């Protein structure tokens, strides 16, 4: 074989392989369903859930972060972004919670997608500790976990409702009605937290990542996080020693883990101190199991309340 | 227009892909013929130090990556002049040493898991307009350097002593090649990723060399191989939802295997 022939053979074989892969890709492509529902894309589960509750059967909403994945640690593929760009609205948290969403938002706007950054409508708690050693910019120094306070979740629903009405004014009545119903549920949740946590023997809780400041501020709990605002970090040995000492000092019986994060560090602390672990779910995404079991924001928050009451010895 | 070209960042990815796939093998060929393939990987790992510093100080990680790898390139070339050290050992020290520095810096900066992964393995949706401008500038520099100094590079690559005796300033040419490699690698990591860029720099060149062509034609064929790898890799990674860097390098690997077996002595 001459060299030219060899090169030709190489490109033919390669071409066939790539064509075969391309064929698989194109065959797999789902057809787009045409209907008159308002297509909305949300950066993660909780926002998608709130939009679903507000829009009812008039919207079709999809979470870009898939089940079982923590939104802090997510990075969308080009196809995810393409999918989001075919929606009418892209809603995300902002405030450093979903940095990838903040990055692609301008891109989606160029494609004619309306965007909603939820933390824009809220006064966020500043993280003094991180602000102190990272002066000069405000990236990653604010706490975006507003949905964990049911009272702020009510306001979040209002912001979502207003945005849906702005985009789709024809269905204003439905959006008003649905959101009023959901807000009622959230207010009942807030009420149950208030009464459930009003008479407790303890008020200190150890949590995995620093997601519960708004919840703590609302119901007067003292939140002690093992790591920072972004989940998925490993705590330093020094931090773990500090926590261990604190647990022994305060006589804490339970420490809280998260379903989507590795519990290794917390389990080590639990072994060290003899404390037991309970789940306190920051509702940053559903696991596949929770999704199957039909769990949602409100039922998870109720489980959280039960576990908090157990740990804090409430009557 | 097919949907893949409707998104700005995919257009940027393809534009960056074309620029990268031309200059990466162009640099790579000079590294490979001098048995200096490990240099690419070493400089990529040094870039990681720059990325870590960039994330820690919240500045542009690509800029600090370019700075770090360029400095390392100069240091490596200076150390090579010390005859008591083997070139190979210097590279090994820089490779693992920079990894250690990067890991320590990262433990100082909190919460950079995600962005770090996108640098390690490449993430084409993060390529911004600034990345593209810098890449275009480097593209022009590399092309100019190779075209203007082709003969000198050729001589210095094949016989350093001969090049020295022939009056060519071998050392400064070496330095130039290595610095160009450093800059190219740092700017390519967005697409291919730090852990895989070395492969893209070496594989198309090694594949092309299997055909026993002239030096010039080997360069042309290796550019062709890398263009095909990057372009089809970007297409397939988009439509099959695969990681771009891995897909590109896998195609380069297939090309290498085909080149190797087609040229096996009968
Ligand atoms: Zn969180």
């Amino acid at each position: 074989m001459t060299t030219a022939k060899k090169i030709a053979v190489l490109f033919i074989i390669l071409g066939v392989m790539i064509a075969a892969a391309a064929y698989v890709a194109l065959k797999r492509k789902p057809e787009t369903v045409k209907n008159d529902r308002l297509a909305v894309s949300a950066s993660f589960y909780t926002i998608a859930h709130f939009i679903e509750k507000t829009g009812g059967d008039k919207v079709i909403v999809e979470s870009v972060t898939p089940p079982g994945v923590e939104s802090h640690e997510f990075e969308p593929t080009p196809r995810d972004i393409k999918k989001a760009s075919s929606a009418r609205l892209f809603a995300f948290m902002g405030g450093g919670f979903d940095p990838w969403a903040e990055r692609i938002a301008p891109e989606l706007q160029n494609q004619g997608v309306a965007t909603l950054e939820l933390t824009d409508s809220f006064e966020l708690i500043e993280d003094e500790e991180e602000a102190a050693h990272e002066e000069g910019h405000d990236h990653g120094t604010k706490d975006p976990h507003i949905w964990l306070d049911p009272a702020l979740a009510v306001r979040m629903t209002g912001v979502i409702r207003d945005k849906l009405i702005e985009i789709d004014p024809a269905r204003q009545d439905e959006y008003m009605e649905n959101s009023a119903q959901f807000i009622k549920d959230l207010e009942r949740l807030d009420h149950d937290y208030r009464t459930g946590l009003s008479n407790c023997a303890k008020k200190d809780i150890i949590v995995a990542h620093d997601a519960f400041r708004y919840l703590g501020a609302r119901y007067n709990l003292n939140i002690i996080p093992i790591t920072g605002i972004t989940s998925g970090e490993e705590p330093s040995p020094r931090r773990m020693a500090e926590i261990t000492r604190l647990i022994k000092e305060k006589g804490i019986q339970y420490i809280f883990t998260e379903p989507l994060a590795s519990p290794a560090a917390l389990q080590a602390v639990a072994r060290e101190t003899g404390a037991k672990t309970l789940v306190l779910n920051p509702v940053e995404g559903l696991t596949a199991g929770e999704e199957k079991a039909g769990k949602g924001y409100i039922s998870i928050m109720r489980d959280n309340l039960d576990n908090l009451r157990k740990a804090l010895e409430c009557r | 227009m097919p949907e893949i070209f409707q998104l700005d960042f995919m257009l940027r990815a393809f534009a960056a892909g074309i620029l990268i796939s031309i200059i990466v093998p162009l640099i790579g060929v000079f590294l490979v013929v001098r048995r200096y393939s490990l240099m690419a990987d070493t400089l990529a790992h040094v870039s990681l130090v720059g990325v870590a510093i960039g994330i820690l100080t919240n500045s542009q990680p690509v800029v600090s990556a370019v700075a770090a790898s360029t400095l390392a390139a100069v240091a490596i070339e200076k150390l090579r002049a010390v005859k008591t050290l083997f070139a190979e050992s210097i590279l090994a020290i820089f490779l693992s040493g920079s990894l250690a520095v990067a890991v320590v810096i990262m433990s100082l900066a909190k919460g950079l898991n995600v962005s770090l992964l996108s640098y390690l393995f490449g993430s084409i949706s993060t390529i911004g307009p600034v990345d593209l401008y810098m890449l275009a500038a480097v593209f022009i520099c590399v092309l100019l350097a190779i075209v203007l100094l082709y003969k000198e590079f050729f001589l210095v690559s094949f016989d350093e002593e001969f090049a020295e005796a022939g009056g060519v300033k071998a050392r400064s040419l070496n330095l130039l090649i290595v610095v160009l490699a450093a800059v190219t690698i740092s700017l390519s990591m967005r697409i291919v990723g730090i852990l895989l860029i070395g492969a893209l720099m070496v594989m198309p060149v090694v594949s092309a060399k299997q055909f026993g062509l002239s030096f010039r034609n080997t360069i042309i064929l290796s550019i062709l191989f890398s263009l095909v790898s990057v372009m089809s890799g970007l297409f397939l990674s988009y439509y099959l939802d695969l990681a771009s860097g891995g897909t590109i390098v896998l195609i380069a690997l297939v090309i290498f295997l085909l080149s190797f077996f087609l040229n096996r002595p009968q």
Side-chain angles (χ1 to χ4, degrees), chain A residues 70 72 97 143-145 147-148 209-212 228-231 258 282 284:
Chain A
E70 165 74 56
H72 285 301
F97 176 72
D143 184 354
H145 299 91
W147 64 92
L148 289 167
H209 89 286
D210 198 0
F212 299 94
I229 282 180
T230 310
S231 62
E258 294 175 12
E284 292 180 352

Side-chain angles (χ1 to χ4, degrees), chain A residues 67-68 260 286-293:
Chain A
L260 289 180
L286 291 187
T287 63
E290 284 166 344
E291 199 184 30
K292 231 187 210 156

Side-chain angles (χ1 to χ4, degrees), chain B:
Chain B
M1 197 162 45
E3 63 167 33
I4 189 166
F5 294 125
Q6 285 165 15
L7 292 162
D8 291 350
F9 70 84
M10 282 310 292
L11 289 177
R12 282 199 294 271
F14 274 102
I18 291 171
L19 297 179
I20 286 172
S21 43
I22 293 171
I23 55 175
V24 163
L26 213 47
I27 302 278
V29 76
F30 291 104
L31 297 181
V32 169
V33 294
R34 294 178 51 203
R35 307 184 176 216
Y36 220 21
S37 304
L38 192 60
M39 185 62 152
D41 246 341
T42 306
L43 291 175
H45 282 78
V46 176
S47 300
L48 191 59
V49 175
V51 168
I53 293 173
I55 296 176
L56 181 68
T57 58
N58 208 48
S59 50
Q60 279 275 343
V62 175
V63 176
S64 42
V66 169
S69 60
T70 309
L71 278 177
V74 174
I76 291 170
E77 274 310 296
K78 294 276 174 238
L79 283 174
R80 254 162 52 88
V82 182
K83 291 293 176 203
T84 52
L85 292 170
F86 292 115
E88 215 181 24
S89 336
I90 299 172
L91 291 184
I93 288 167
F94 267 81
L95 194 150
S96 29
S98 61
L99 206 52
V101 173
V103 167
V104 168
I105 294 176
M106 271 167 225
S107 59
L108 291 176
K110 290 180 191 168
L112 48 67
N113 310 314
V114 184
S115 35
L116 178 69
L117 280 183
S118 78
Y119 286 102
L120 283 181
F121 299 107
S123 168
I124 50 177
S125 65
T126 57
I127 300 167
V130 180
D131 296 307
L132 201 53
Y133 299 147
M134 293 202 300
L135 198 55
V138 172
F139 177 81
I140 292 167
C141 290
V142 170
L143 230 51
L144 271 181
I146 303 282
V147 169
L148 293 178
L149 299 167
Y150 180 78
K151 215 170 147 194
E152 287 85 344
F153 278 135
F154 182 83
L155 289 176
V156 85
S157 302
F158 283 98
D159 189 344
E160 217 164 292
E161 275 163 40
F162 170 81
E164 200 80 78
V168 183
K169 292 210 167 66
R171 203 167 286 167
S172 40
L173 280 171
N174 273 335
L175 193 62
L176 182 58
I177 272 289
V178 174
V179 167
L180 289 177
V183 178
T184 307
I185 287 168
S186 306
L187 290 175
S188 312
M189 67 190 174
R190 288 276 206 197
I191 283 201
V192 200
I194 285 168
L195 295 180
L196 294 171
I197 181 67
L200 191 65
M201 195 160 256
V202 171
M203 275 189 197
V205 178
V206 177
S207 309
K209 268 173 68 78
Q210 305 299 313
F211 293 90
L213 299 165
S214 70
F215 187 61
R216 181 186 290 266
N217 285 342
T218 302
I219 294 180
I220 293 170
L221 190 59
S222 63
I223 290 176
L224 198 61
F225 283 162
S226 102
L227 263 174
V228 169
S229 307
V230 173
M231 292 297 111
S232 53
L234 285 176
F235 265 104
L236 289 184
S237 75
Y238 179 80
Y239 283 108
L240 290 168
D241 231 350
L242 303 169
S244 57
T247 314
I248 290 168
V249 172
L250 267 184
I251 294 169
L253 182 64
V254 169
I255 292 178
F256 168 72
L257 290 174
L258 290 173
S259 308
F260 180 74
F261 284 110
L262 282 168
N263 291 291
R264 214 174 26 170
Q266 302 300 316

Side-chain angles (χ1 to χ4, degrees), chain A residues 107-118:
Chain A
E107 187 105 24
L108 294 177
Q109 278 166 359
N110 288 343
Q111 307 274 313
V113 182
T115 59
L116 172 63
E117 182 170 358
L118 280 160

Side-chain angles (χ1 to χ4, degrees), chain A residues 11-47:
Chain A
F11 278 115
I12 289 167
I13 297 176
L14 192 70
V16 170
M17 290 170 80
I18 291 171
Y23 176 74
V24 173
L26 292 174
K27 229 178 72 172
R28 233 177 49 144
K29 209 168 118 187
E31 342 165 3
T32 41
V33 190
K34 276 247 180 265
N35 59 31
D36 62 342
R37 290 158 84 188
L38 182 73
V40 182
S41 176
S43 69
F44 79 113
Y45 161 76
T46 306
I47 298 177

